[in-house]
Amino acid sequence: MNVVIVGGGKIGLYLAETLLNHGHRPHVVEIDKRTCAHLADTLDIPVICGDGTTIEALESADVGTADALISVSGRDEDNLISCQLAKMKFGVKKTVARVNNPRNLRVMKKLGVDVPVCTTNNIVRVIEHEADNAQIKLLMSLNAGAASLNEIVIPDHFPKAGQTLAEIGLSKDVVVVTITRGEEMLIPRGETTLESGDKVMVIAKNHSLHDINELFGR
């Protein structure tokens, strides 16, 4: 997964190192030359010295080929601008912004930031979720991020269509909450079947998400 990080301070460095260790390909955009030098000496990743709120700097970071942009500067307004440019100018599908003032969370969302978050660990979880669980839409983190409420749309030609939940044999760490089929909402039981086009709401521990994606994404 290609990820552009705007802001190379402590949080940006931590994110870049974490994503790199997990097999992703981070680029960092940082305006301070000394910080850029430290990043380049610390990690073997592309570091762009420039203003992440400008088109020129984002172009230099190849943001047009990025799967996600994360802006983690200390200024909420700068993080908003970086995310808006990435989405509107370069068509980046997923934007994540660090929100320093929690009062700005709702405003960030309304102004086009896909995922505004307040803590660094939540940012990492969001990116890991997007990278590893492409078929699953995260609705809400639960239990301090250890589990989550998710939505899955069963794809066409689902190989287990018509099988019951009992037959499919989901992990004990996965609970199917509801199944929406057309206009009807079903309260699932073991004998309830899954069909292509169903919208399934599940609660799952995070270590089970990859298995769910493998099952439903085929």
Side-chain angles (χ1 to χ4, degrees):
M1 189 177 190
N2 294 321
V3 182
V4 173
I5 300 169
V6 177
K10 291 182 179 179
I11 292 177
L13 174 61
Y14 169 74
L15 287 174
E17 186 173 19
T18 301
L19 292 171
L20 186 64
N21 289 339
H22 289 194
H24 305 299
R25 298 172 296 279
H27 291 53
V28 177
V29 180
E30 167 58 43
I31 196 170
D32 182 77
K33 292 182 179 179
R34 186 172 297 178
T35 303
C36 287
H38 175 66
L39 282 165
D41 289 340
T42 304
L43 299 175
D44 185 18
I45 61 172
V47 178
I48 294 85
C49 194
D51 184 348
T53 65
T54 66
I55 292 174
E56 292 77 16
L58 296 180
E59 283 180 337
S60 297
D62 291 328
V63 74
T65 65
D67 299 294
L69 177 136
I70 317 170
S71 192
V72 292
S73 79
R75 291 167 54 88
D76 287 354
E77 54 267 42
D78 289 348
N79 294 335
L80 173 62
I81 292 170
S82 296
C83 288
Q84 287 180 325
L85 282 176
K87 184 164 286 289
M88 293 187 289
K89 178 68 177 178
F90 297 98
V92 175
K93 292 182 180 180
K94 180 67 63 175
T95 57
V96 180
R98 173 193 177 194
V99 182
N100 301 280
N101 184 347
R103 294 180 180 178
N104 292 334
L105 278 168
R106 185 175 298 178
V107 174
M108 288 279 213
K109 189 73 174 179
K110 286 184 177 180
L111 292 178
V113 176
D114 293 315
V115 187
V117 290
C118 284
T119 69
T120 306
N121 286 336
N122 278 343
I123 294 174
V124 173
R125 279 197 290 269
V126 164
I127 294 301
E128 287 293 287
H129 191 286
E130 292 299 319
D132 296 335
N133 305 290
Q135 305 295 331
I136 305 174
K137 180 179 180 182
L138 174 66
L139 299 179
M140 182 185 301
S141 291
L142 304 171
N143 193 25
S148 55
L149 176 66
N150 307 274
E151 179 184 280
I152 306 161
V153 177
I154 304 301
D156 294 337
H157 311 298
F158 179 52
K160 296 183 183 295
Q163 292 188 18
T164 66
L165 291 176
E167 290 171 331
I168 291 173
L170 293 171
S171 163
K172 63 181 178 62
D173 293 326
V174 178
V175 176
V176 178
V177 181
T178 62
I179 299 173
T180 303
R181 184 172 297 158
E183 299 298 321
E184 183 182 8
M185 177 176 286
L186 308 175
I187 303 301
R189 300 287 187 266
E191 66 272 15
T192 305
T193 61
L194 285 180
E195 307 292 346
S196 295
D198 285 354
K199 187 179 292 184
V200 183
M201 201 86 69
V202 302
I203 293 176
K205 291 185 178 180
N206 285 345
H207 65 79
S208 300
L209 290 176
H210 181 72
D211 292 338
I212 297 174
N213 190 58
E214 286 291 306
L215 173 63
F216 293 125
R218 292 174 183 173

